[in-house]
Amino acid sequence: MDWTIFFVVASFGTYIGIALWARAGSTNDFYVAGHDVHPMINGMATAADWMSAASFLSMAGLIASLGYGGSVYLMGWTGGYVLLALLLAPFLREFGKFTVPDFVGDRYYSTAARVIAVICALFVSFTYIAGQMSGVGIAFSRFLGVDFNTGILVGMGIVFVYAVLGGMKGVTYTQVAQYCVLIFAYTVPAIFISMMITGNPVPQLGFISNVRGEDVSMLENLNQVVTELGFIEYTSTNKSWIDVFAITGALMFGTAGLPHVIIRFFTVSSASAARVSAGWALVFIALLYTVAPAVGAFARYNIIDTVNETTYIETDDYAVAAEGITSDGGTPVPEWFKNWERTGLVGFEDMNGDGLMQIRGPNAPDGLANEVTINNDISVLASPEIAQLPEWVIGLMVAGGLAAALSTAAGLLMVISSAISHDLCRRTLFKGMSDKTELRIARVAAAGAVAAAGLMGMNTAKLAFVAQVVAFAFGLAAASLFPIIFLGIFWKRMNKEGAIASMAFGLISTFSYIYYFKFVDTDPSHWFLGVSPEGIGFVFMFFSAIIGIVVSLLTAPPPQEIQDLVEDIRVPGTRTRHGSVDEDMGPMDDHTPTPAE
């Protein structure tokens, strides 16, 4: 516990110190860090922004629980970032706007389109940030000795300081520090565990190597273990091919519509710098994502090995009870299980009254029912403890998990803040607002968003695990924002009526589907085309795009000025008008009114 407190306090102190050092003094600093962030620094900050609690805590947990079926999250998020870097980021940077709603409002020359884009961005961001705050609660609840909700409140306080004071400038440099913490925290335990199980110090190779001292690969061994317990093979999946395809697609295209990722490419000096920073970000992301399958496989292997068929201990005096069981020739429940049991995230119900803990799948050959429940989201945080690694490794892992959750939460808060202060207030309701007033509103909006996100996080844990909640945000982004951003860049005939119809349909249909099948009808057999709520955004994305195209063709084309604008932004370096900037033109707040204004 001492090491945990040391790493958490030291890392949080660093974040707060950076925020105070990089305090924003203008809207340009607050929204886009002054446009002077180095591409490599921005790539590292983007990687931290991207690798949320879902990536750090939940993705490996899903792979551990679902095996190959959990890889849809890994494939979708990785492919989505490539899609974003190649198709959208440089062109949006060339357009030169602070936010996605700002792009929508000017590209579609419509206040109504801007407001709907704000609503979409808020829906996506609040859904996403709820998952991050849940991750914060999980980390704090076990390792700082506080309950889940108290953990979220502590996290809210930390984010409040460096997001509200520092703005995007403070968030950027804080995220660089957070990346260093989270990548070190993720890979060090993986190296230790890979050495223990396979003797290979490289986790990416270790999980496909032979088990130490045996002539069988780790994955083959794991397949045999899980099938003997009544689960499907670890390297196979029971998901339908269409649902796998849909979830992967929703995560991919949702990535390209995520406002908090897109806004990071506005912090560099040019479109070419945006491309370079995207490349750096992919390198930094790959350092964690290539380790995740190994972490998931090792976690599943160790959980079964340490828990299954052990004797449960009722008393709180673990050491005495465990010694008694061991002296009688039995194996006591591992201490890590008892520690996590206090959080409510793992549990045991002795259905057959034999005092032993049985992990079983639905097709168990011995006919026994499963008696052990383990929340997917603890797999990564608990791994060092399960493997009995040194205390400092456990403390480092906690600091990394908190860094992952809080870095993404800060990026999302910037989206929420800018959507309210810049897009809704300055660009829509109060167009004569000064920079100073806008900055004040931005900070108030960020503070309000912190409070709202915390409340959502406290309730979201009851809905689903972290990665699933985040997947809902990706689906909403895929259906509502991606079509109008993509068509806005690559099809000059797309007009404001089409954009409004597309966004409205995508948001309403996807949100309604998720709500209905999570709260009203939970029977998977009733899913549309067999597609789960996590993947439905991909299906509705196509309907949304078709609706936008049809409505655009049935209504008047955009003004010639807008069509010329679309041509301009596809040629990097030529964009010099319509409220944008070149490198020498000053801040983006220099706005030229559109025809609608």
Side-chain angles (χ1 to χ4, degrees), residues 531-573:
V531 177
S532 63
E534 293 90 335
I536 198 62
F538 180 66
V539 177
F540 288 152
M541 178 188 77
F542 290 100
F543 290 124
S544 178
I546 291 170
I547 288 172
I549 292 170
V550 171
V551 172
S552 294
L553 292 174
L554 294 177
T555 51
Q560 189 60 44
E561 173 189 347
I562 300 298
Q563 297 188 47
D564 293 340
L565 163 69
V566 176
E567 294 286 350
D568 284 348
I569 64 175
R570 291 206 299 270
V571 184

Side-chain angles (χ1 to χ4, degrees), residues 104-395:
V104 172
D106 280 13
R107 164 59 181 87
Y108 293 109
Y109 51 97
S110 168
T111 297
R114 184 190 305 276
V115 171
I116 294 175
V118 168
I119 294 171
C120 291
L122 292 178
F123 260 87
V124 171
S125 299
F126 272 117
T127 303
Y128 204 145
I129 203 172
Q132 308 314 306
M133 300 313 289
S134 292
V136 171
I138 289 170
F140 273 126
S141 64
R142 164 63 184 93
F143 291 101
L144 294 188
V146 297
D147 62 51
F148 180 83
N149 289 345
T150 302
I152 288 180
L153 291 174
V154 175
M156 287 166 58
I158 300 298
V159 175
F160 175 86
V161 173
Y162 68 78
V164 174
L165 293 181
M168 183 58 82
K169 187 175 180 180
V171 165
T172 295
Y173 293 103
T174 301
Q175 286 175 335
V176 171
Q178 287 168 328
Y179 177 81
C180 295
V181 172
L182 72 87
I183 197 64
F184 193 66
Y186 202 80
T187 53
V188 168
I191 291 171
F192 272 100
I193 297 171
S194 182
M195 283 287 291
M196 292 174 63
I197 295 178
T198 69
N200 193 320
V202 182
Q204 295 94 326
L205 300 177
F207 89 111
I208 58 174
S209 302
N210 286 351
V211 176
R212 181 192 286 269
E214 298 182 24
D215 191 24
V216 59
S217 74
M218 190 266 175
L219 286 179
E220 286 181 27
N221 188 294
L222 186 55
N223 273 340
Q224 181 179 349
V225 169
V226 296
T227 51
E228 286 176 354
L229 295 178
F231 298 97
I232 64 170
E233 283 192 338
Y234 187 80
T235 53
S236 62
T237 179
N238 56 8
K239 285 181 176 290
S240 68
W241 70 266
I242 190 170
D243 196 31
V244 169
F245 191 76
I247 294 174
T248 304
L251 297 175
M252 280 185 63
F253 290 94
T255 299
L258 283 179
H260 79 287
V261 177
I262 291 173
I263 199 173
R264 285 241 51 96
F265 294 101
F266 298 159
T267 64
V268 294
S269 59
S270 64
S272 61
R275 285 190 174 89
V276 174
S277 68
W280 275 112
L282 196 55
V283 170
F284 291 126
I285 290 169
L287 292 178
L288 186 144
Y289 270 32
T290 55
V291 177
V295 172
F298 293 148
R300 182 74 173 272
Y301 185 91
N302 278 334
I303 287 172
I304 293 174
D305 185 55
T306 60
V307 174
N308 189 44
E309 300 297 340
T310 59
T311 302
Y312 185 72
I313 296 175
E314 292 282 359
T315 178
D316 289 334
D317 193 345
Y318 177 85
V320 173
E323 186 177 348
I325 293 171
T326 304
S327 63
D328 291 337
T331 304
V333 58
E335 190 172 7
W336 74 262
F337 189 94
K338 294 296 294 182
N339 291 336
W340 279 96
E341 191 176 28
R342 298 187 189 100
T343 70
L345 296 171
V346 303
F348 166 65
E349 183 181 356
D350 193 3
M351 296 183 180
N352 58 9
D354 64 357
L356 298 178
M357 302 174 66
Q358 276 99 21
I359 296 178
R360 295 291 186 272
N363 303 310
D366 56 11
L368 295 178
N370 181 55
E371 299 177 333
V372 180
T373 56
I374 298 177
N375 187 299
N376 290 329
D377 293 335
I378 76 161
S379 296
V380 172
L381 284 180
S383 285
E385 210 175 351
I386 296 172
Q388 298 182 334
L389 297 182
E391 285 291 325
W392 69 267
V393 180
I394 297 173

